[in-house]
């Protein structure tokens, strides 16, 4: 799960840097790229679940789901401890989607990683 979680956090860090630079030095606004960022977030979580499932080699849904739950916990702790705010209903729905996508990624990671038997 650590590989999957690390890949999610690295992808989030890279895309955050890229989009912060684009927002600073171009005429783009946050509203204009909101859906693109959301799509990349789901892709990063799927890839993280895929990697975690591939490394785990069995029970991909559980490994992918646990990876997403750890990611959600990290985001929640940053938001709560850093800003003193809990998740909104919208964020809760997004993270529920992250859970489902990471579980799907974990299942696909197990099935496509090949058998070690």
């Amino acid at each position: 799960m650590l590989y999957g979680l690390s890949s999610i956090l690295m992808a989030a860090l890279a895309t955050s840097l890229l989009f912060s630079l684009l927002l600073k030095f171009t005429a783009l606004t946050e509203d204009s790229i909101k859906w693109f960022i959301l799509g990349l977030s789901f892709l990063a979580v799927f890839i993280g679940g895929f990697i975690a499932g591939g490394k785990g080699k069995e029970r991909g849904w559980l490994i992918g789901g646990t990876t997403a739950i750890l990611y959600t916990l990290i985001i929640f702790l940053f938001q709560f401890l850093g800003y003193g705010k809990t998740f909104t209903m919208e964020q809760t729905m997004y993270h529920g989607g992250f859970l489902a996508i990471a579980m799907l990624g974990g299942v696909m990671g197990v099935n496509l990683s090949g058998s070690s038997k």
Side-chain angles (χ1 to χ4, degrees):
M1 287 182 283
L2 186 60
Y3 288 110
L5 188 60
S6 297
S7 66
I8 294 171
L9 294 176
M10 294 306 273
L13 181 66
T15 56
S16 294
L17 177 63
L18 174 71
F19 283 114
S20 66
L21 292 173
L22 284 173
L23 290 170
K24 175 76 174 164
F25 296 113
T26 66
L28 290 174
T29 63
E30 286 183 39
D31 288 334
S32 66
I33 59 173
K34 175 182 166 183
W35 294 106
F36 189 67
I37 292 173
L38 182 62
L40 286 176
S41 299
F42 276 102
L43 180 63
V45 172
F46 175 81
I47 291 171
F50 185 87
I51 290 171
K55 293 285 186 183
K57 304 233 187 279
E58 61 184 29
R59 294 190 185 126
W61 65 273
L62 183 60
I63 294 172
T66 306
T67 302
I69 289 170
L70 289 173
Y71 172 70
T72 297
L73 181 64
I74 290 170
I75 298 301
F76 178 77
L77 288 175
F78 269 104
Q79 184 172 327
F80 183 71
L81 296 175
Y83 299 104
K85 297 184 180 183
T86 59
F87 279 168
T88 63
M89 183 55 75
E90 182 181 17
Q91 288 174 307
T92 303
M93 291 185 340
Y94 288 150
H95 284 275
F98 290 159
L99 176 63
I101 292 294
M103 289 170 80
L104 178 65
V107 168
M108 292 181 72
V110 166
N111 290 323
L112 296 177
S113 67
S115 176
S116 62
K117 295 178 181 177

